[in-house]
Amino acid sequence: MPGLAPDAESETGIPKSRSEARRSEAMEELEHTCPQPRLTLTAPAPFADETSCQCRAPHEKLTIAQARRGTPVDRPVRVYADGIFDLFHSGHARALMQAKTLFPNSYLLVGVCSDDLTHKFKGFTVMNENERYEALRHCRYVDEVIRDAPWTLTPEFLEKHKIDFVAHDDIPYSSAGSDDVYKHIKEAGMFVPTQRTEGISTSDIITRIVRDYDVYARRNLQRGYTAKELNVSFINEKKYRFQNQVDKMKEKVKNVEEKSKEFVYKVEEKSHDLIQKWEEKSREFIGNFLELFGPDGAWKQMFQERSGRMLQAFSPRQSPNSSPTRGRSPSRSPSPPWVFNKASPPSSPKAASASLSSMSEGDEDEK
């Protein structure tokens, strides 16, 4: 017919009717454009009012089994966790970690109640709402922070933020006139339990502060805070300052004691080393002395060698008996018996003494 636009062609080349083309265009417009989980941690998580989900595609209701299988594949599972998060600690972080890892592909939204709502239903907080918002923004498991979150979740709130599941510990949370504020969420099949971390909670931390109030007040006075800022009376201020002075003196005495103990320990260690070195040197000296002057020492051998040389010098060996004798001259009288022959000196001191005795006997005979 004239005036009609030509039919669009399908991927197979077969022309489409106008209604089919419109349906395909509508489906393209309804593709999921939900925010994706954070892949980098170079910036804090955004607030929900800054980057709200503008996806127009219908969010079909999911079961927990489907979400754990990784379906749907075209969008992340949007998990919501709420709380006060006062004095943000490791128990909070572990609960958010569990909520983030419930499903293979999840987008974690965290709702934080305002100061007015918290003071009305629970009590006074240590951190104000802005401090608590910022603490959540800088948690690595959080993809989006919802400020001024409601105390009880309404269907309108769940629809607005396209929430698939709510994560919280399974203990019934009685508040605002209800035995369990998550009862209707559990009945709708949208509740996923997490485990609490034992031994850590905001109430426990506040209890420690109240219990050790004097210690913290004294520490802050020492750091420069005034008594008015700490809400401390005049008498308590003087008492705390006096206690700080006493603690300083104790610390000085303790340091002196530690240094003196360290000095004594070093002296003992040095004396032990000196005694050990002295023992080693004394053993070495005794060994060297015994090598020189012992029974088989070098000094004895040297003395024996020298004494042998001296004896040999005083008493050399006798001349052989077969040596030729000189003829006596007739004109000359025989030499007296006490005159020794130069060629044959006495072989030993004993021989010399024997010759002397024979000489004396000869003299006696002559008389």
Side-chain angles (χ1 to χ4, degrees):
M1 294 179 65
L4 294 177
D7 292 340
E9 293 185 358
S10 65
E11 294 179 356
T12 58
I14 302 173
K16 293 181 179 179
S17 64
R18 184 174 296 177
S19 60
E20 289 178 352
R22 288 176 179 175
R23 278 199 302 271
S24 63
E25 291 176 358
M27 290 179 65
E28 290 178 358
E29 291 179 356
L30 293 178
E31 286 182 356
H32 285 286
T33 58
C34 300
Q36 296 297 317
R38 291 195 300 162
L39 299 178
T40 60
L41 301 177
T42 57
F47 290 116
D49 51 5
E50 296 175 356
T51 174
S52 58
C53 182
Q54 302 295 334
C55 180
R56 296 181 181 179
H59 274 59
E60 64 278 9
K61 184 176 177 60
L62 298 175
T63 63
I64 295 177
Q66 289 176 333
R68 286 179 175 166
R69 285 198 301 267
T71 54
V73 295
D74 55 347
R75 69 172 180 89
V77 178
R78 295 173 67 84
V79 181
Y80 176 79
D82 59 356
I84 310 301
F85 300 105
D86 191 20
L87 297 175
F88 189 81
H89 52 75
S90 61
H92 295 142
R94 288 178 63 87
L96 297 176
M97 178 188 69
Q98 294 178 59
K100 176 68 175 177
T101 57
L102 285 171
F103 309 111
N105 184 23
S106 61
Y107 186 88
L108 181 60
L109 302 94
V110 179
V112 184
C113 300
S114 64
D115 286 346
D116 294 337
L117 202 61
T118 304
H119 298 167
K120 178 181 177 181
F121 290 107
K122 189 170 185 179
F124 191 73
T125 58
V126 178
M127 302 169 63
N128 60 43
E129 57 185 22
N130 292 323
E131 293 171 337
R132 294 185 283 115
Y133 296 155
E134 287 297 321
L136 267 298
R137 291 185 69 194
H138 291 84
C139 179
R140 64 184 301 175
Y141 310 112
V142 179
D143 294 305
E144 189 175 313
V145 176
I146 301 176
R147 292 181 283 195
D148 194 12
W151 198 261
T152 302
L153 302 179
T154 61
E156 293 78 16
F157 179 82
L158 298 174
E159 179 63 26
K160 176 183 177 181
H161 295 282
K162 296 179 173 56
I163 295 171
D164 294 310
F165 297 100
V166 177
H168 200 272
D169 60 81
D170 203 14
I171 301 173
Y173 195 82
S174 59
S175 181
S178 174
D179 295 335
D180 189 1
V181 295
Y182 298 104
K183 182 179 180 180
H184 62 291
I185 304 296
K186 295 176 181 177
E187 291 175 351
M190 298 175 62
F191 186 85
V192 184
T194 58
Q195 298 294 325
R196 290 178 63 90
T197 302
E198 298 297 332
I200 183 69
S201 68
T202 302
S203 300
D204 293 338
I205 296 174
I206 294 174
T207 301
R208 295 180 208 169
I209 296 172
V210 173
R211 181 189 61 197
D212 302 327
Y213 169 76
D214 290 348
V215 177
Y216 299 129
R218 288 167 52 192
R219 183 181 67 182
N220 289 335
L221 282 172
Q222 194 172 5
R223 288 180 175 179
Y225 287 89
T226 63
K228 185 177 180 180
E229 290 173 334
L230 297 174
N231 195 22
V232 174
S233 65
F234 177 80
I235 297 175
N236 285 336
E237 179 189 3
K238 298 303 179 184
K239 181 181 73 173
Y240 293 151
R241 293 192 184 279
F242 177 74
Q243 289 175 346
N244 287 336
Q245 295 296 328
V246 172
D247 289 343
K248 286 183 179 179
M249 292 299 297
K250 289 181 179 179
E251 189 68 23
K252 289 182 180 179
V253 172
K254 184 178 179 181
N255 291 335
V256 171
E257 289 180 353
E258 290 178 354
K259 289 181 179 179
S260 61
K261 288 180 181 179
E262 185 178 357
F263 176 75
V264 170
Y265 176 75
K266 288 183 178 179
V267 170
E268 290 178 353
E269 189 176 11
K270 290 287 185 182
S271 62
H272 179 72
D273 293 339
L274 289 173
I275 292 171
Q276 187 175 3
K277 290 180 180 179
W278 183 83
E279 290 178 351
E280 293 176 357
K281 291 294 182 182
S282 62
R283 282 194 291 267
E284 183 179 356
F285 176 77
I286 292 170
N288 294 334
F289 182 83
L290 291 176
E291 287 181 0
L292 287 174
F293 302 104
D296 297 326
W299 183 261
K300 181 179 180 181
Q301 295 178 1
M302 183 176 64
F303 180 76
Q304 289 178 352
E305 290 177 359
R306 290 191 177 184
S307 61
R309 289 176 185 175
M310 291 175 66
L311 291 175
Q312 186 177 1
F314 282 117
S315 58
R317 296 180 180 178
Q318 294 181 359
S319 300
N321 296 327
S322 61
S323 61
T325 58
R326 295 183 181 178
R328 294 181 179 179
S329 175
S331 60
R332 300 178 66 180
S333 60
S335 58
W338 58 82
V339 179
F340 297 104
N341 189 3
K342 294 180 180 180
S344 59
S347 60
S348 64
K350 291 182 178 181
S353 60
S355 61
L356 290 174
S357 61
S358 63
M359 288 170 58
S360 60
E361 289 176 358
D363 291 339
E364 289 177 356
D365 292 337
E366 288 178 1
K367 292 178 181 178

